Amino acid sequence: MRSRWAFVALAILTACVVVAGPLPGEWALVRWALTTRSDALTRLIWWLTFISSATPALLICAFASSAHLAQQRKRRAAFDIAQITSATWPLTAYVGALISNIAMRIAIGRTRPSVDYIPHGLPELQADFQRFSYPSGHAGAATIALFALAALSASHPRLRIPAMLGAAFLMLGVGFGRVYLGVHWPNDVLGGYLLAAGWIGIGLHLRDKLG
């Protein structure tokens, strides 16, 4: 049973590679997203973009890892490397997804939509690989960071469902925002979600195996 997350992760990561090509109707979805633009919505999208950027998402994963470690400390008098690795699975998932994201962008080389894009309110560092769009790094980072936060509610049954629903709502908002800003195709967002989900599966496998 402890290996179930490994199989789930493998299946999801395989799906991420399989769906790397363009999807039917993507251009129509991009055009629709552009028609919804407004000043108020753009400000909201900028905020969602910021929290799913590399540094904020990394800090959220570090916080969640620290919280999981603190929870384990209450149950154990001493720690070893395996238990620390188990508790810090959000950081493992984040770093793994980041490295995979860069590798896939370079290998697949899909260009961004040719539309007027809205610059982010807080510009980020621009690396050469970022001219490629598949998979979306923001969608993946948001998925891992928000899931890690929501997972902290696992020991509180009354909070579990609201936390997961809230996380899912924000993940979808980030994904929509990538298309709204004109920087990603819908399939890039789907790929980002899948890549992140696969690495979450790897993180949970390590948590169950080593914890």
Side-chain angles (χ1 to χ4, degrees):
M1 290 297 291
R2 285 191 170 189
S3 64
R4 68 186 184 279
W5 289 116
F7 290 110
V8 169
L10 179 60
I12 294 175
L13 290 175
T14 300
C16 180
V17 176
V18 170
V19 303
L23 294 178
E26 277 198 285
W27 182 236
L29 288 173
V30 170
R31 287 201 304 265
W32 171 79
L34 300 184
T35 64
T36 66
R37 287 178 171 178
S38 69
D39 290 341
L41 186 54
T42 297
R43 285 192 290 270
L44 174 60
I45 296 300
W46 273 346
W47 180 80
L48 290 174
T49 300
F50 172 72
I51 65 171
S52 60
S53 298
T55 300
L58 175 60
L59 292 175
I60 291 173
C61 288
F63 167 79
S65 294
S66 299
H68 285 298
L69 194 60
Q71 288 178 349
Q72 281 203 8
R73 277 189 173 275
K74 294 180 180 179
R75 301 192 299 267
R76 302 175 186 268
F79 277 108
D80 57 25
I81 295 299
Q83 291 162 350
I84 292 174
T85 303
S86 169
T88 57
W89 65 264
L91 280 176
T92 299
Y94 177 86
V95 173
L98 176 62
I99 295 172
S100 299
N101 180 282
I102 295 172
M104 291 185 69
R105 286 198 190 196
I106 294 171
I108 295 170
R110 190 182 192 193
T111 56
R112 298 179 185 273
S114 298
V115 299
D116 291 333
Y117 74 94
I118 301 175
H120 182 241
L122 296 172
E124 303 170 62
L125 294 175
Q126 295 295 312
D128 186 58
F129 72 88
Q130 287 178 305
R131 71 182 186 275
F132 301 126
S133 66
Y134 185 92
S136 168
H138 282 77
T143 299
I144 294 172
L146 293 169
F147 181 87
L149 280 181
L152 293 174
S153 66
S155 58
H156 303 282
R158 292 183 179 179
L159 298 178
R160 190 181 307 160
I161 293 179
M164 286 297 180
L165 289 176
F169 179 77
L170 291 175
M171 291 174 202
L172 291 174
V174 170
F176 169 75
R178 305 316 290 154
V179 181
Y180 174 94
L181 294 176
V183 293
H184 279 291
W185 298 94
N187 198 36
D188 301 338
V189 174
L190 175 60
Y193 288 150
L194 289 172
L195 182 62
W199 276 98
I200 288 172
I202 292 173
L204 293 177
H205 170 67
L206 292 175
R207 180 199 64 182
D208 292 349
K209 184 177 181 180
L210 302 175

